């Protein structure tokens, strides 16, 4: 039986080629994802580990828990703690580290790096082993800076050049006094690193005389654990914590692996979709192969082969096909991983250098997925073939599924579909994240139910195409009849395309509705012409707000400032605003009271008011971060949205309690509204700073739209794999169908149907099946998009369903295109059949 199975594989090479391709694509996606993410993760881990080579123990501040009505304040690492750390037994040296965001512009004024990868710090001196100089000298004062060699090379800077940079808003123009090398992972990933002398770095990033971290190096022969123990004895346990360099490297590696796991899981989901779609094709292929070899299998049964041996022979064929597909998919996946790694470099998303990582787990996963998916898909056709009595099979009286089996299938499908719809509808009534899991379960149940019901649905839906197909004469009529001749096969073929289009349509509906909601929110909540913020989301210096207020044409400004506070025993974040201007810059809807911000009068969003049982006129006590308390009064309650929420009070009341006030953004209104001229004036007033964004409401919406578009394009690209697999499925089904109907096609040719009409018949059959899958997919996608939107609507008041009719038309056209392209080869093959040979075939 083993030799028979192998001979059958070799005898049907052309028939199995599409199956191998379908499995191979899915396996290539899986292995390519694993190779790519493992390679990137390994490169980052090795690069970040180098950054801890000079650190044996790191000393950091330990945050205190909130006590009473006063919010906690992180203890400071002072010069005294640095000196004490350097004197502990076993310590060779101690370095105080200061760091923070530093936006460095290139010679064209554009930001170098990815915003969050643009960093600054302090240079400890000529003996600083962390940053060896390759040219120039150490910086002195705010007018001098060092830059890393990778950034200098990328931007074309040399020692003596003047650079433009910003830490929290205002532009600085220091001179490059030196260039250094570093193993910093952010620099290796395309970011930049600028170093100042310690006093300047403290003034720019924090407070004079304080550090963000103290790095201690051990003497020769002293272990990291021993040095940590000595530091734990010498330093205050309630305000500092110590970590070994080895632990820091391990934590960093774990964090990198965790951050990569999201990308890996996302890509593997789409690989799973491609494999799921491929499963239909494999099952379809083996069903048809087994059907074509029914007499052969019956003969094997007649000469003594048992049912188990017949099933085993089919599974052996599947194992061989799966192994071939797994090996070729693994090779292709390694190429995909290497290609993605190179693509990141061409897109300026630089990553640290490192070798391509093909782990044993990747190899095992690729081969395991290829073999398991193929064998599982072939098991049911093999089992079905083994159940056919030999005499019935040889007499060709085996055949179609009984009425009982179809009734059972339709009943099960109806139950699954009803349960899926019920669970999805129930999930739409839940609040936010509580409904996500039920909705996912309902979606799976509904897709399974529709898949089971697809043979039943195919007859009425395909019958609806009769008026259109009638225009194509006999070819159209035959195409419609062929489409419903074997509903199960038609269903399996259409379902492959249905799943891909369901996901694509659902995501498009959600993205378009979300974009509309955000546009509506921005226009309804903000009256300001511009919102000014840092490119990386960090806080702005208060000087930015002052400069904007003094700019010609500006009629109103309000910095938005966040500060922690204790209210009724829990931490709340206060939003400081300019009370005299905020009413002209926002358009918030009031539930009660008046929009009055000034002195001790505040406005509160409805969620916060509800949680504290406040209403207009309520009083409460706030504990500021400096330990002082104040009695505030609720003047009004407004409706929260994604852009504005929280307790809003006047900056004049908040600022005296802040040691280092900073703004998250500044809202600006100009005399001539949003215009290119007004925007240009604001940017020039801020020194044309590359680190600062000046955005109108339209700019904010376009930024969000760009993000959605990028995300959708990535998803379309990933789901294209499933569509390609679906195309292979249609080709495979049509090719098998043409082979099965060779005698019938020969008879049609003999009674006068010419080759042109034979081609048209096969093409129309393919088109009908593809459009059937497309209609089901788009319909399900719209339903899931609506349901997910209802869930989002509980958290976003402006959300409403927006159907992208133009894109849905494109998706339907895509389904039709799939049908036309998939039919090219089978139609040509059918038309070229020799009619006499076809009539004699069995």
């Amino acid at each position: 039986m083993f030799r028979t199975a192998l001979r059958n594989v070799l005898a049907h090479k052309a028939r199995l080629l599409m199956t191998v391709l379908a499995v191979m694509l899915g396996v290539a996606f899986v292995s390519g994802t694993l190779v790519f993410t493992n390679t990137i993760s390994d490169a980052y881990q090795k690069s970040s580990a180098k950054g801890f080579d000079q650190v044996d123990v790191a000393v950091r501040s330990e945050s205190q828990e909130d006590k009473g009505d006063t919010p906690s304040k992180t203890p400071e690492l002072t010069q005294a703690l640095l000196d004490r750390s350097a004197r502990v037994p076993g310590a060779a040296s101690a370095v105080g580290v200061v760091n923070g965001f530093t936006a460095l512009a290139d010679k064209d004024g554009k930001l170098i790096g990815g915003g969050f990868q643009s960093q600054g710090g302090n240079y400890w001196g000529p003996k600083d082993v962390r940053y060896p100089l390759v040219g120039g000298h150490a910086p002195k004062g705010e007018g001098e800076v060092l830059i890393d060699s990778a950034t200098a090379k990328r931007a074309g800077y040399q020692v003596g050049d003047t650079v433009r940079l910003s830490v929290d808003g205002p532009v600085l123009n220091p001179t490059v006094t030196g260039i250094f090398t570093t193993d910093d992972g952010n620099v290796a990933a395309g970011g930049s690193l600028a170093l100042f002398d310690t006093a300047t770095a403290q003034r720019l990033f924090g407070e004079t005389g304080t550090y963000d971290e103290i790095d201690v190096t051990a003497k020769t022969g002293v272990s990291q654990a021993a040095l940590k123990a000595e530091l734990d004895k010498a330093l205050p346990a309630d305000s500092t914590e110590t970590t070994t360099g080895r632990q820091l490297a391990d934590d960093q590696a774990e964090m990198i692996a965790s951050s990569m796991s999201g990308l890996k899981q996302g890509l593997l989901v789409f690989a799973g979709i491609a494999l799921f779609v491929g499963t239909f094709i494999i099952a379809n292929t083996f069903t048809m192969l087994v059907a074509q070899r029914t007499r052969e299998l019956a003969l094997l049964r007649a000469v003594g082969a048992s049912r188990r041996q017949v099933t085993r022979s089919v599974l052996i064929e599947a194992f061989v096909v799966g192994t071939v597909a797994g090996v070729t998919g693994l090779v292709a996946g390694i190429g995909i991983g290497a290609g993605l790694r190179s693509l990141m470099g061409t897109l300026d998303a630089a990553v640290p250098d490192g070798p391509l990582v093909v782990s044993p787990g990747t190899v095992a996963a690729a081969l395991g997925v290829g073999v398991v998916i193929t064998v599982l898909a072939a098991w049911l056709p093999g089992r079905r073939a083994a159940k056919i009595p030999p005499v019935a099979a040889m007499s060709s009286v085996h055949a179609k599924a009984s009425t009982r089996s179809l009734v059972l299938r339709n009943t099960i499908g109806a139950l699954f579909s009803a349960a899926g719809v019920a669970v999805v509808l129930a999930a739409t009534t839940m609040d936010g994240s509580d409904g996500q899991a039920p909705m996912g379960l309902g979606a799976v149940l509904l897709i399974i139910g529709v898949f089971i019901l697809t043979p039943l649905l195919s007859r009425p839906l395909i019958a609806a195409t009769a008026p259109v197909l009638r225009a194509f004469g006999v070819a159209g009529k035959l195409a419609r009849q062929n489409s419903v001749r074997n509903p199960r096969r038609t269903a399996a073929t259409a379902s492959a395309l249905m799943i891909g289009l369901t996901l694509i349509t659902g995501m498009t509906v959600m993205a378009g509705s979300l974009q509309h909601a955000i546009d509506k929110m921005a226009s309804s909540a903000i009256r300001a012409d511009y919102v000014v913020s840092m490119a990386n989301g960090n806080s702005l210096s208060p000087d930015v707000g002052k400069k904007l207020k003094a700019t010609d044409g500006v009629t109103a400004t309000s910095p938005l400032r966040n500060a922690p506070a204790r209210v009724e025993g829990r931490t709340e974040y206060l939003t400081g605003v300019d009370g005299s201007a905020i009413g002209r810059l926002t358009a918030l809807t009031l539930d009660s009271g008046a929009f009055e911000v000034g002195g001790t009068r505040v406005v509160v969003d409805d969620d916060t008011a509800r949680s504290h049982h406040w209403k207009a006129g309520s009083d409460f006590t706030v504990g500021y971060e400096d330990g002082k308390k104040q009695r505030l009064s609720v003047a009004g309650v407004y409706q929260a949205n994604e852009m504005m929420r929280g307790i809003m009070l006047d900056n004049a009341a908040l600022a005296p309690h802040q040691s280092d006030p900073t703004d998250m953004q500044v809202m600006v209104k100009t005399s001539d509204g949003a215009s290119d001229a007004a925007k240009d004036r604001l940017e020039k007033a801020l020194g044309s700073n590359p680190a600062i964004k000046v955005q109108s409401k339209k700019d904010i919406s376009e930024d969000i739209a760009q993000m959605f578009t990028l995300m959708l394009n990535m998803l379309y690209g990933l789901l294209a794999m499933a569509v390609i697999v679906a195309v292979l499925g249609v080709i495979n089904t049509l090719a098998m169908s043409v082979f099965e109907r060779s005698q019938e096609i020969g008879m049609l040719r003999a009674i006068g149907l010419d080759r042109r009409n034979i081609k048209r018949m096969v093409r129309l059959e393919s088109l009908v099946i593809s459009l059937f899958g497309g209609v089901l997919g788009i319909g399900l996608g719209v339903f899931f998009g609506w349901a997910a939107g209802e869930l989002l609507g509980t958290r976003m008041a402006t959300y409403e369903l927006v159907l992208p009719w133009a894109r849905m038309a494109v998706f339907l056209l895509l389904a039709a295109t799939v049908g036309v392209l998939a039919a090219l080869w089978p139609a040509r093959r059918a038309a070229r059949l020799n009619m006499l040979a076809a009539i004699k075939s069995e």
Side-chain angles (χ1 to χ4, degrees):
M1 293 301 295
F2 180 74
R3 287 198 299 270
T4 301
L6 291 181
R7 284 173 181 170
N8 281 326
V9 172
L10 297 175
H12 303 104
K13 293 187 289 290
R15 298 185 207 173
L16 292 171
L17 177 61
M18 295 297 178
T19 304
V20 171
L21 284 174
V23 182
M24 185 197 76
L25 284 172
V27 172
F29 208 156
V30 171
S31 54
T33 295
L34 295 175
V35 168
F36 172 65
T37 53
N38 288 343
T39 297
I40 300 300
S41 181
D42 181 72
Y44 271 114
Q45 287 175 15
K46 288 180 178 176
S47 177
S48 64
K50 290 179 182 178
F52 298 110
D53 286 347
Q54 307 300 329
V55 180
D56 288 315
V57 179
V59 180
R60 294 172 176 171
S61 297
E62 186 172 27
S63 299
Q64 305 295 306
E65 292 186 3
D66 294 339
K67 296 178 181 179
D69 289 330
T70 303
S72 64
K73 187 175 181 181
T74 303
E76 296 174 342
L77 298 178
T78 62
Q79 184 66 39
L81 284 176
L82 173 62
D83 295 338
R84 194 187 305 178
S85 300
R87 291 195 299 266
V88 300
S93 63
V95 173
V97 177
V98 183
N99 52 46
F101 171 70
T102 300
L104 184 65
D106 59 20
K107 291 186 175 181
D108 295 326
K110 295 180 181 179
L111 181 65
I112 297 174
F116 291 96
Q117 297 171 334
S118 302
Q119 296 294 315
N122 66 314
Y123 183 65
W124 200 247
K127 295 183 180 179
D128 194 337
V129 294
R130 300 172 302 165
Y131 309 116
L133 287 177
V134 293
H137 61 81
K140 295 178 183 177
E142 196 170 293
E144 296 184 353
V145 68
L146 301 180
I147 62 173
D148 67 90
S149 55
T151 297
K153 183 178 179 181
R154 193 161 55 242
Y157 284 130
Q158 298 178 346
V159 174
D161 288 347
T162 299
V163 296
R164 292 167 55 79
L165 57 84
S166 174
V167 171
D168 58 359
V171 177
L172 303 176
N173 294 283
T175 301
V176 177
T177 62
I179 294 173
F180 63 92
T181 58
T182 178
D183 292 322
D184 187 282
N186 284 326
V187 173
S192 63
L193 181 59
L195 300 179
F196 305 89
D197 66 85
T198 298
T200 300
Q202 288 175 332
R203 188 165 60 255
L204 291 174
F205 303 125
E207 295 183 14
T208 301
T210 65
Y211 301 95
D212 297 310
E213 181 176 302
I214 297 173
D215 292 343
V216 187
T217 305
K219 291 179 179 177
T220 304
V222 178
S223 68
Q224 291 184 354
L227 179 59
K228 180 182 184 301
E230 293 294 338
L231 286 165
D232 287 339
K233 293 177 187 176
L235 301 179
D238 60 339
S239 60
T240 60
E241 59 180 358
T242 58
T243 311
T244 63
R246 187 174 299 108
Q247 184 62 48
L248 288 173
D250 292 343
D251 291 346
Q252 184 82 353
E254 186 177 344
M255 184 182 72
I256 291 169
S258 177
S259 65
M260 294 299 295
S261 68
L263 174 64
K264 182 185 294 186
Q265 289 171 6
L267 292 172
L268 287 176
V269 165
F270 289 99
I273 292 168
L275 285 168
F276 185 56
V277 171
T279 303
F280 295 133
I281 299 172
I282 300 164
N284 235 8
T285 302
F286 275 93
T287 298
M288 288 183 280
L289 286 175
V290 168
Q292 291 167 12
R293 289 167 37 215
T294 300
R295 290 191 177 185
E296 174 189 327
L297 294 174
L299 184 60
L300 289 173
R301 290 287 313 282
V303 297
S306 65
R307 287 185 175 182
R308 183 175 297 176
Q309 285 178 311
V310 170
T311 303
R312 194 182 300 157
S313 71
V314 175
L315 294 181
I316 290 171
E317 290 182 49
F319 178 82
V320 173
V321 171
T323 302
V324 172
V327 172
T328 54
L330 174 62
V331 174
I334 294 172
I336 290 172
L340 288 173
R341 173 69 175 79
S342 300
L343 180 63
M344 289 191 72
T346 61
L347 296 176
D348 293 329
V351 294
D353 292 330
L356 202 65
V357 178
V358 183
S359 66
T362 300
V363 176
L367 295 177
V369 165
V371 171
V372 170
I373 291 293
T374 310
V375 170
L376 285 177
W379 175 75
L380 190 60
R383 186 169 174 269
R384 193 182 297 136
K387 284 186 174 182
I388 300 172
V391 174
M394 286 188 284
S395 304
S396 299
V397 294
H398 65 290
K400 301 178 181 179
S402 64
T403 303
R404 180 183 174 187
S405 71
L406 289 174
V407 170
L408 179 63
R409 175 175 181 143
N410 293 337
T411 303
I412 293 172
L415 291 173
F416 267 93
S417 298
V421 170
V423 173
V424 168
L425 291 177
T428 62
T429 64
M430 298 180 184
D431 184 29
S433 57
D434 294 339
Q436 290 178 5
M439 184 163 290
L441 174 63
V444 171
L445 290 174
L446 180 55
I447 287 176
I448 292 173
V450 171
F451 168 66
I452 296 173
L453 284 175
T454 306
L456 179 66
L457 297 173
S458 65
R459 290 187 179 277
L461 288 178
I462 291 176
T465 64
V468 177
L469 293 177
R470 200 174 292 128
F472 295 94
V474 175
K477 183 178 180 180
L478 290 171
R480 182 177 60 80
Q481 291 174 346
N482 289 334
S483 301
V484 294
R485 176 184 295 185
N486 190 331
R488 292 189 178 190
R489 182 191 303 168
T490 298
T493 306
S495 295
L497 193 58
M498 176 192 78
I499 291 170
L501 286 178
T502 296
L503 293 168
I504 290 173
T505 305
M507 290 171 182
T508 304
V509 169
M510 280 187 62
S513 301
L514 275 171
Q515 179 61 49
H516 176 76
I518 290 165
D519 290 346
K520 190 175 178 181
M521 185 188 300
S523 60
S524 63
I526 300 176
R527 286 194 184 126
D529 296 315
Y530 292 99
V531 176
V532 179
S533 60
M534 290 291 283
N536 70 331
N538 275 11
S539 55
L540 289 160
S541 166
D543 291 343
V544 173
K546 294 175 184 176
K547 289 183 178 180
L548 290 168
K549 191 172 185 178
T551 303
D552 290 340
V554 172
T555 58
T557 65
S558 176
L560 268 62
R561 186 173 297 172
N562 286 346
R566 294 290 287 176
V567 178
E568 297 180 353
R570 59 187 180 191
T571 299
E572 295 281 2
Y573 279 86
L574 307 175
T575 302
V577 298
D578 185 329
S580 63
I582 192 65
R584 287 178 286 163
L585 298 166
T586 58
L588 299 172
T589 304
L590 277 176
D591 283 343
S592 62
F595 197 88
E596 183 182 341
V597 181
T600 60
R601 292 178 66 75
V602 302
V603 292
V604 182
D605 73 275
D606 50 357
D607 292 334
T608 304
R610 196 177 303 113
S611 67
H612 288 282
H613 306 289
W614 294 338
K615 58 184 179 181
S618 297
D619 294 330
F620 63 93
T621 300
V622 61
Y624 296 107
E625 57 186 317
D626 64 352
K628 295 181 180 179
K629 298 178 183 179
Q630 187 176 25
R631 194 76 176 164
L632 300 177
S633 175
V634 178
V637 177
Y638 66 91
Q639 293 179 9
N641 58 55
E642 296 301 312
M643 295 187 170
M644 302 289 291
R645 62 176 61 246
I647 302 171
M648 204 177 293
L649 77 164
D650 195 18
N651 276 326
L654 178 62
H657 304 285
Q658 293 183 291
S659 57
D660 183 25
T662 56
D663 302 323
M664 292 309 296
Q665 55 185 223
V666 181
M667 304 177 78
V668 181
K669 193 167 186 62
T670 61
S671 57
D672 52 353
S675 65
D676 291 340
K679 185 175 182 179
D680 189 53
R681 278 200 308 272
L682 296 178
E683 289 177 341
K684 286 182 178 177
L686 299 174
S688 300
N689 194 327
I692 295 180
K693 296 189 295 185
V694 179
Q695 294 180 296
S696 65
K697 287 183 283 188
K698 182 181 178 182
D699 294 332
I700 294 171
S701 295
E702 286 178 352
D703 261 11
I704 297 170
Q706 188 176 13
M707 180 182 68
F708 279 132
T709 301
L710 178 63
M711 181 179 69
L712 272 179
N713 288 340
M714 289 176 63
L715 294 175
Y716 289 163
L718 294 169
L719 287 170
M721 183 71 73
V723 175
I724 292 171
V725 174
V727 171
L728 293 175
V730 178
I731 296 173
N732 216 11
T733 299
L734 289 174
M736 293 290 186
S737 179
V738 167
F739 178 83
E740 280 185 348
R741 303 202 313 260
S742 294
Q743 190 177 57
E744 175 186 321
I745 291 171
M747 289 295 295
L748 289 171
R749 288 289 316 283
I751 61 176
L753 197 66
D754 59 15
R755 290 185 174 183
R756 182 180 177 185
N757 276 305
I758 291 289
K759 286 183 180 180
R760 181 178 294 171
M761 176 187 73
V762 176
R763 287 171 183 163
L764 289 173
E765 179 184 349
S766 175
L767 184 63
V768 167
I769 293 173
S770 297
L771 286 175
F772 170 55
V775 168
L776 284 180
I778 292 172
L780 281 174
V782 169
F783 176 70
F784 290 138
W786 166 82
E790 289 295 300
L791 203 59
L792 283 171
T794 60
R795 294 191 172 187
M796 189 177 287
T798 55
Y799 185 91
E800 61 183 60
L801 181 67
V802 176
L803 293 180
W805 294 106
R807 290 206 177 191
M808 288 194 294
V810 170
F811 297 155
L812 199 59
L813 182 62
L814 172 66
T817 304
V818 165
V820 171
L821 293 177
L824 291 178
W825 177 64
R828 184 168 176 268
R829 183 183 178 201
R832 295 181 66 181
L833 284 175
N834 182 291
M835 68 176 76
L836 295 178
I839 290 171
K840 290 192 294 182
S841 67
E842 295 184 0

